[in-house]
Amino acid sequence: MNWTTETLRSGIALEVASDDHGVMGTPGTWYRVRQGERVSSATRNRGDALRLFQRRVRLVSGA
């Protein structure tokens, strides 16, 4: 399973993987957030991943 990564200048990344063969247990699209070496657990819920991503970006930016 290959993760596609989109990284901001702040170093926070939203990663997406397509799991067609059920490697992660349930086939489908998986999401996770990476900040340096810190990686969130993978989730099938895109909304949860985006909220975590936005929360980390706000913390880093000081907003």
Side-chain angles (χ1 to χ4, degrees):
M1 196 163 80
N2 294 326
W3 291 90
T4 302
T5 305
E6 183 176 335
T7 307
L8 295 179
R9 280 184 281 174
S10 62
I12 300 171
L14 177 63
E15 300 181 334
V16 180
S18 179
D19 183 10
D20 296 331
H21 302 289
V23 174
M24 297 285 289
T26 306
T29 304
W30 288 82
Y31 304 91
R32 68 184 182 186
V33 177
R34 176 185 299 273
Q35 184 177 7
E37 295 298 317
R38 185 175 168 196
V39 181
S40 69
S41 59
T43 179
R44 294 277 321 274
N45 189 319
R46 184 175 185 266
D48 287 346
L50 287 173
R51 279 188 289 279
L52 176 60
F53 178 75
Q54 291 170 341
R55 185 170 34 241
R56 289 196 181 164
V57 168
R58 279 195 303 271
L59 288 172
V60 168
S61 69

